Amino acid sequence: MDYVVILEPRVSGVKAARIIKSMGFSNHYIEEAFGFSGGLWLLWNHEKLSLDVVDSSYKHIHCKVELPEQVPFLFTAVYANPRIEKRKELCDKFRLISQLHSDPWLIAGDFNEISLSEEKRGGAPVDTSRIASFVEVLNNCSMIDLGSSGPFFTWRGPKFLHLDRVFKRLDRACANG
């Protein structure tokens, strides 16, 4: 494995450095978590690829990636805030990136939103306006969902008394054409 992204590691500081060192990667970039929320680690081997971090926050790491004999591409690792009003800034950043660059672009991570009503089971009814807003952001950025393998639902909520457990597909990878 030449690179890996870890979302929501729930550790930081000296403990994070110790864990990263034990994983054997030659380079890393960390966006620290706030308490037990968020945090992103980008780990890679510089012998296999060149990676330059262009922009970051505690909810994303945006970089340019160059692999030998391949077309360079943009990559954004994302851990979107679970609160919709807090995700606006990240969505605006995606729109700006798509307007400024025509390079191939991959976004992957936890978007904390569904794009189809079928991506949620249990709990309260689906909020179709939230789905529409998320799909609009992806469409504005010319993003195509790359699909997935493994379990369809990537998040399982707690089980509350007399209510169905909530399951959602929140993690995804999207790329432009």
Side-chain angles (χ1 to χ4, degrees):
M1 189 174 340
D2 296 323
Y3 55 94
V4 67
V5 177
I6 299 176
L7 306 174
E8 226 179 348
R10 298 186 181 204
V11 296
S12 56
V14 173
K15 187 173 182 180
R18 192 169 50 246
I19 293 168
I20 290 168
K21 185 176 181 181
S22 75
M23 295 177 78
F25 288 92
S26 60
N27 290 72
H28 65 273
Y29 187 89
I30 298 174
E31 274 297 332
E32 296 284 354
F34 281 115
F36 291 107
S37 175
L40 297 159
W41 296 357
L42 186 56
L43 316 171
W44 73 97
N45 288 318
H46 72 274
E47 303 85 17
K48 304 287 185 164
L49 63 101
S50 170
L51 193 147
D52 289 317
V53 175
V54 177
D55 183 44
S56 69
S57 73
Y58 74 105
K59 294 295 179 189
H60 82 287
I61 300 173
H62 180 66
C63 52
K64 184 168 188 171
V65 180
E66 296 182 37
L67 297 164
E69 301 179 31
Q70 301 289 324
V71 174
F73 64 95
L74 302 174
F75 172 67
T76 306
V78 61
Y79 174 70
N81 196 300
R83 299 183 61 188
I84 191 167
E85 63 274 5
K86 301 258 184 183
R87 285 196 300 266
K88 184 180 177 342
E89 183 179 323
L90 190 59
C91 292
D92 290 344
K93 184 158 301 279
F94 290 162
R95 286 184 182 102
L96 181 63
I97 291 168
S98 73
Q99 292 168 359
L100 295 176
H101 300 282
S102 60
D103 299 328
W105 183 24
L106 171 67
I107 305 174
D110 183 345
F111 289 80
N112 260 311
E113 192 59 83
I114 61 173
S115 64
L116 299 165
S117 59
E118 294 80 19
E119 294 179 346
K120 180 180 185 266
R121 184 176 72 206
V126 170
D127 184 339
T128 56
S129 65
R130 284 179 57 169
I131 291 174
S133 294
F134 179 54
V135 169
E136 179 184 8
V137 170
L138 295 178
N139 288 340
N140 286 345
C141 297
S142 301
M143 287 289 153
I144 302 163
D145 191 312
L146 299 178
S148 64
S149 62
F152 180 74
F153 296 109
T154 61
W155 179 80
R156 179 183 75 177
K159 174 117 174 76
F160 295 110
L161 189 63
H162 306 297
L163 295 174
D164 292 336
R165 185 183 300 271
V166 178
F167 295 87
K168 292 183 181 181
R169 178 181 180 230
L170 301 178
D171 303 321
R172 66 187 70 242
C174 300
N176 62 8

